[in-house]
Amino acid sequence: MKAVVMAGGEGTRLRPMTASMPKPLLPVVNKPIMEHVLKLLKRHGLTETVVTVQFLASLVKNYFGDGEELGMELTYAHEEKPLGTAGSVKNAEEALKDDAFLVISGDALTDFDLTDLIRFHRERGAMVTVCLTRVPNPLEFGITIVDEDGKVDRFLEKPTWGQVFSDTVNTGIYVMEPEVFDYVEPDKPVDWSGDVFPRLMKEGKPIYGYVAEGYWEDVGTHESYVQAQADVLEGEVDVERDGFEISPGVWVAEGAEVHPDAVLRGPLYIGDYAKVEAGAEIREHSVIGSNVVVKSGAFLHRAVVHDNVYVGPQSNLRGCVIGKNTDIMRASRIEDGAVVGDECFIGEESIVQGNVRIYPFKTIEAGAFVNTSVIWESRGQAHLFGARGVSGILNVEITPELAVRLAGAYATTLKKGSTVCTARDHSRGARALKRAIISALQASAIDVRDLENVPLPVARQQTARGSAGGIMIRTTTGVPDSVDIMFFDERGADLSQAGQRKLDRVYARQEYRRAFPGEIGDLSFPSSVYDSYTGSLLRAVDTTGIAESGLKVVVDASNGSAGLVLPSLLGRLGVDSLTINPGLDESRPTETAESRRAGLVRLGEIVASARAAFGVRFDPVGERISLVDEHGRIVEDDRALLVMLDLIAAERRSGRVALPVTTTRIAEQVAAYHGTQVEWTTTSPDDLTRVSREDGTVFGGDGRGGFIVPEFSSVFDGAAAFVRLIGLVARTQLTLSQIDARIPRAHVSRRDLATPWAVKGLVMRTVVEAAGDRSVDTTDGVRVVESDGRWVMVLPDPAEAVTHLWAEGPDEASAQALLDEWAAVVDSAGH
């Protein structure tokens, strides 16, 4: 016997899940509903099957093909227009006219005994046997009444409660003899129960009803879709599940990585190659699709998550459905009954309320509160640029596809035939993305000078040598699974705000320039990059007195790219040096605050035992340095800034230094004592760069290990700061601890407070109002100065739902008290 699977429905009640996917392909425990139906047919020997298709027909055909993988023979009957339940089967008459056949819906989940249904049909000599089942609420279905022998007495489609005379409903599964086609007009919409069956009954043809035992769920609503998953997990329905039951009710498919410290409470299902991190909690009736990533601290309960979804840390998903390729960022909350379509982006700390529908390809901005369905518009388009270029989680937010589009947009902002420098840190992710970027640049008529793995300052300096711009890919500091794509201007500095906005616009419009075949850009690999860098550095920075001083230093390359430039630099400096951790470690492209601290402690021990003048530790990309004094004590970053400032100001005796407004006001005292003045800048590195470029600037620093040596370059440069420092120490013949001891102690405390995006403006207004008649400085954020000189600064973060606070007082306790006072102001506005 042949079977007909009806797979033409649109599933409008299931939108937005069915906005980009036909209903038969909706996954139930990671397999399309129709695959469960086909496997049921095969189990009962019905391997020759005709599939009727209409809505998004090509997707159904592409998925199942000719059925060979299932061990079946599938053919397709295509409806050009909807023909109703009978009309679509009539459309396949040619394949079915020789023998009785079975009709079944491709979007209902069932495990009925079809063999017994066919036996019943043949024993009764029926022309049509209708498969019936009993349901508690028959309103959505067609009611059928049968006599003792099983003959159908009466049909009623979708009744009201006043018309309910039975709980036995029509499941849409039929066994039919080919004569039934005589009662169906071709190429017209015709339904079985509304048009054909009443005529057959009128003519006294044998129509029987078979009441089936077992499970049947017409997956027509979001509630029934989520329920169907729960029923499969609870074993209510007999269908196949791939994978292994690793503990009672916990099913894990092949290749899935589940950390032993993840909390799993079955029944639940985790798809193939999914990754569940330590600290994630997945509760009963949750289904995790293939290649899904569930980060630490995420909580899922009755959540159905389709393939390739990223579930960020601390996010909370309850009773919802998440479409494929969607990214759910940190601390998002998606409530019971909500449905998020395919390829959406749900920003950090946003809340999607219960029963809200978000249609495919939508962006919900960070901190948004969504209480109505998002069908046409996006709720806020994320700004591409953050504090350090375009940043995001590798292969979640920052994918090779995004890198290609971004590089194409950047190339479009430049003239054809321009040259761009590309560089990366020593991580594999950065290498893969850089290759994608190079291809996109060349395809947009841009010549590329690929520096490969170099320290960030070297990439900037090489860009400034005749290139129109540069791109550096690096691992985000302290976040190993994230990357930054940094864009440089022709001077090697970060792209200006105006340049960022221009790139943003081209990217958003997706108007990329493409080269003609003869215009494809060239790719070159410059040689002697390090020699030219160290040569120009040593020519620009004062190194007198170093060779004669007999200084001994310990240099920690921290297994990063700084180690690549140190051999040629230290050799030409003529200083007695010991280099530690010079080799590259691909597995550690960045360091956490803890590992950095541990590295500094080890460096201190080596400095003390080697009796060195000081120790310096580079960050992995050679941009920043940390210091250890001659006793092996760590010089904290904010103190290191004051030490460097004191040395440079004492030597120069004039000019100005560029410092961000968050720096201690002791810096002003140090500078003034030596006859230099401070120019306060915003906390943005490009603002420091701008001031450092101006004549008369002798130094710049950010208090976090970033130092600018203006005679060499206007950007943070660890190697330049190291060379400058060693020259200063050699000439003053003072130790770092002596210099540190003569500078007054600063007491600056810092705190970060979570602030939803929607109230950031309100927070800043509240701060200004609370300042009253105190002095207010708005160079960056709001800095409120008390009459006794204490100050507090409140600054909203440009890329995260966070507000930063700094406070300075004459001692630690007064700084903390001031911080507590203003944190309460920010908190009151934020809630």
Side-chain angles (χ1 to χ4, degrees):
M1 185 182 279
K2 289 184 179 175
V4 183
V5 174
M6 317 272 283
E10 286 191 39
T12 46
R13 289 179 301 164
L14 280 165
R15 286 188 177 169
M17 281 189 285
T18 52
S20 51
M21 180 194 298
K23 187 178 164 192
L25 287 188
L26 273 185
V28 170
V29 187
N30 283 20
K31 277 201 177 83
I33 304 176
M34 186 170 142
E35 189 171 331
H36 291 302
V37 170
L38 291 172
K39 286 187 169 174
L40 176 71
L41 292 174
K42 187 187 174 192
R43 226 164 39 217
H44 291 280
L46 298 152
T47 54
E48 276 188 73
T49 298
V50 182
V51 182
T52 67
V53 288
Q54 191 229 336
F55 176 68
L56 297 176
S58 60
L59 295 181
V60 177
K61 289 181 182 175
N62 290 347
Y63 187 91
F64 292 105
D66 60 5
E68 187 183 356
E69 281 187 23
L70 294 168
M72 301 177 74
E73 280 179 53
L74 301 186
T75 52
Y76 296 89
H78 198 289
E79 297 172 50
E80 296 305 324
K81 57 181 185 185
L83 294 172
T85 52
S88 59
V89 178
K90 172 82 171 178
N91 203 31
E93 181 178 3
E94 198 52 38
L96 305 169
K97 61 186 185 197
D98 300 331
D99 191 12
F101 56 90
L102 180 135
V103 178
I104 191 167
S105 167
D107 51 24
L109 190 65
T110 182
D111 58 4
F112 287 162
D113 185 344
L114 303 181
T115 304
D116 199 52
L117 168 67
I118 293 164
R119 178 198 56 75
F120 177 91
H121 172 82
R122 289 196 163 134
E123 279 178 3
R124 297 293 189 281
M127 184 171 176
V128 173
T129 299
V130 180
C131 185
L132 307 172
T133 191
R134 296 194 166 93
V135 295
N137 179 359
L139 292 189
E140 285 295 310
F141 310 101
I143 285 177
T144 310
I145 291 275
V146 291
D147 64 18
E148 312 81 66
D149 192 33
K151 208 164 188 182
V152 173
D153 274 350
R154 199 172 157 199
F155 283 109
L156 183 60
E157 275 296 295
K158 301 202 175 169
T160 63
W161 273 118
Q163 297 170 307
V164 169
F165 43 75
S166 167
D167 64 350
T168 311
V169 301
N170 178 357
T171 63
I173 302 172
Y174 311 112
V175 182
M176 298 179 165
E177 297 299 325
E179 294 88 58
V180 80
F181 287 127
D182 299 342
Y183 295 84
V184 184
E185 280 190 73
D187 297 323
K188 283 198 175 161
V190 184
D191 274 321
W192 291 123
S193 47
D195 304 317
V196 179
F197 296 164
R199 273 183 66 194
L200 293 175
M201 287 170 70
K202 217 179 217 173
E203 293 183 20
K205 301 290 182 193
I207 300 188
Y208 281 83
Y210 168 86
V211 181
E213 296 295 324
Y215 181 93
W216 178 80
E217 177 72 74
D218 172 53
V219 184
T221 62
H222 291 104
E223 293 71 30
S224 61
Y225 177 66
V226 173
Q227 187 57 47
Q229 319 275 344
D231 292 341
V232 172
L233 293 172
E234 291 283 3
E236 303 278 331
V237 49
D238 180 18
V239 297
E240 271 184 42
R241 269 179 278 194
D242 291 340
F244 317 95
E245 195 171 11
I246 59 168
S247 61
V250 175
W251 288 79
V252 177
E254 180 192 356
E257 271 183 67
V258 180
H259 196 281
D261 294 335
V263 179
L264 305 179
R265 300 201 178 164
L268 58 85
Y269 184 88
I270 295 170
D272 54 329
Y273 300 100
K275 184 176 181 188
V276 181
E277 290 192 351
E281 182 171 353
I282 303 178
R283 298 286 296 270
E284 51 271 12
H285 302 163
S286 291
V287 175
I288 308 299
S290 303
N291 302 307
V292 169
V293 175
V294 181
K295 299 295 282 182
S296 177
F299 176 89
L300 294 86
H301 186 200
R302 280 184 75 86
V304 179
V305 180
H306 292 180
D307 297 349
N308 300 310
V309 169
Y310 173 84
V311 181
Q314 282 80 54
S315 50
N316 193 306
L317 279 59
R318 294 168 187 268
C320 56
V321 179
I322 310 295
K324 64 179 185 289
N325 301 320
T326 285
D327 295 335
I328 295 168
M329 306 314 287
R330 181 186 64 81
S332 302
R333 188 179 180 90
I334 301 179
E335 302 280 7
D336 203 13
V339 180
V340 178
D342 296 347
E343 301 198 34
C344 288
F345 179 90
I346 310 296
E348 291 191 354
E349 299 193 359
S350 50
I351 297 172
V352 178
Q353 282 219 291
N355 301 316
V356 162
R357 307 281 181 257
I358 296 176
Y359 275 63
F361 314 108
K362 297 291 177 281
T363 295
I364 303 299
E365 70 168 14
F369 182 81
V370 185
N371 55 8
T372 56
S373 292
V374 181
I375 299 171
W376 304 112
E377 78 287 5
S378 275
R379 291 291 171 86
Q381 179 57 48
H383 185 58
L384 267 178
F385 284 86
R388 300 311 312 262
V390 180
S391 304
I393 300 160
L394 179 65
N395 277 338
V396 174
E397 295 166 287
I398 307 287
T399 60
E401 298 90 333
L402 177 131
V404 165
R405 292 200 301 271
L406 203 50
Y410 180 57
T412 306
T413 68
L414 305 172
K415 289 191 175 75
K416 278 189 177 183
S418 299
T419 300
V420 167
C421 275
T422 57
R424 62 171 175 87
D425 72 5
H426 54 287
S427 66
R428 287 186 180 181
R431 179 192 286 153
L433 290 175
K434 179 174 66 67
R435 288 173 176 166
I437 282 169
I438 289 172
S439 302
L441 291 171
Q442 289 181 278
S444 301
I446 297 291
D447 293 334
V448 178
R449 293 177 71 229
D450 185 20
L451 305 170
E452 300 181 278
N453 173 21
V454 292
L456 183 49
V458 175
R460 292 184 185 278
Q461 187 239 21
Q462 287 292 316
T463 299
R465 297 191 158 191
S467 293
I471 301 177
M472 169 96 183
I473 303 101
R474 61 174 284 186
T475 307
T476 305
T477 308
V479 191
D481 59 357
S482 289
V483 290
D484 303 332
I485 302 179
M486 304 175 72
F487 291 87
F488 307 147
D489 63 16
E490 71 284 356
R491 289 180 289 208
D494 289 353
L495 210 54
S496 66
Q497 295 288 330
Q500 290 180 16
R501 281 194 295 272
K502 185 177 180 185
L503 176 50
D504 236 343
R505 281 197 303 274
V506 176
Y507 178 82
R509 291 200 303 261
Q510 300 198 8
E511 294 170 358
Y512 313 133
R513 179 181 71 221
R514 289 285 175 257
F516 298 110
E519 299 176 322
I520 299 292
D522 193 22
L523 174 61
S524 60
F525 300 91
S527 58
S528 316
V529 168
Y530 298 120
D531 287 344
S532 80
Y533 171 80
T534 51
S536 53
L537 171 56
L538 295 177
R539 282 193 297 277
V541 178
D542 186 358
T543 58
T544 53
I546 294 179
E548 303 79 44
S549 67
L551 282 178
K552 184 178 185 183
V553 293
V554 183
V555 182
D556 185 351
S558 60
N559 298 115
S561 52
L564 301 170
V565 80
L566 287 172
S568 74
L569 181 62
L570 293 167
R572 292 165 76 170
L573 260 181
V575 67
D576 183 7
S577 63
L578 168 63
T579 304
I580 60 174
N581 300 319
L584 294 174
D585 184 350
E586 267 189 4
S587 66
R588 289 193 297 129
T590 185
E591 49 188 7
T592 61
E594 294 76 29
S595 63
R596 177 174 168 268
R597 194 85 192 164
L600 281 170
V601 169
R602 279 196 302 277
L603 174 63
E605 290 163 357
I606 294 166
V607 168
S609 63
R611 301 228 170 112
F614 64 88
V616 60
R617 186 173 205 268
F618 286 84
D619 76 350
V621 290
E623 185 181 39
R624 297 169 184 274
I625 57 171
S626 302
L627 302 179
V628 168
D629 71 14
E630 73 280 9
H631 302 300
R633 289 189 298 242
I634 296 168
V635 183
E636 300 298 344
D637 287 345
D638 53 345
R639 290 303 288 176
L641 176 66
L642 295 176
V643 167
M644 199 81 144
L645 169 62
D646 185 60
L647 282 164
I648 287 173
E651 186 170 271
R652 286 300 181 89
R653 298 278 167 190
S654 66
R656 74 172 167 270
V657 294
L659 301 172
V661 283
T662 50
T663 311
T664 167
R665 290 311 177 264
I666 294 210
E668 248 172 354
Q669 296 173 32
V670 173
Y673 180 78
H674 296 299
T676 57
Q677 63 190 103
V678 174
E679 177 156 345
W680 298 110
T681 75
T682 70
T683 52
S684 161
D686 50 335
D687 203 25
L688 270 174
T689 293
R690 177 185 58 76
V691 177
S692 300
R693 236 185 246 134
E694 295 169 3
D695 287 344
T697 305
V698 296
F699 172 63
D702 69 350
R704 292 183 295 116
F707 298 104
I708 295 172
V709 181
E711 57 266 40
F712 175 62
S713 77
S714 58
V715 294
F716 295 143
D717 188 328
F722 167 61
V723 173
R724 187 80 176 95
L725 176 64
I726 202 165
L728 289 162
V729 172
R731 291 189 292 278
T732 57
Q733 301 198 335
L734 291 170
T735 64
L736 291 194
S737 63
Q738 287 169 331
I739 300 157
D740 189 12
R742 73 187 189 190
I743 301 168
R745 307 313 291 177
H747 299 283
V748 179
S749 296
R750 179 180 170 171
R751 192 174 300 172
D752 293 342
L753 296 174
T755 310
W757 284 91
V759 298
K760 278 191 172 185
L762 171 63
V763 164
M764 299 313 288
R765 192 185 80 209
T766 308
V767 168
V768 173
E769 287 169 357
D773 51 9
R774 299 178 184 90
S775 168
V776 170
D777 169 13
T778 55
T779 303
D780 199 10
V782 174
R783 193 172 73 92
V784 181
V785 185
E786 302 280 350
S787 54
D788 58 4
R790 293 183 307 151
W791 58 269
V792 69
M793 183 169 152
V794 182
L795 177 69
D797 190 285
E800 294 184 37
V802 168
T803 300
H804 306 292
L805 282 81
W806 290 262
E808 181 170 28
D811 53 55
E812 204 63 43
S814 85
Q816 280 296 338
L818 194 59
L819 202 56
D820 290 342
E821 180 188 331
W822 286 91
V825 172
V826 171
D827 256 345
S828 66
H831 294 93

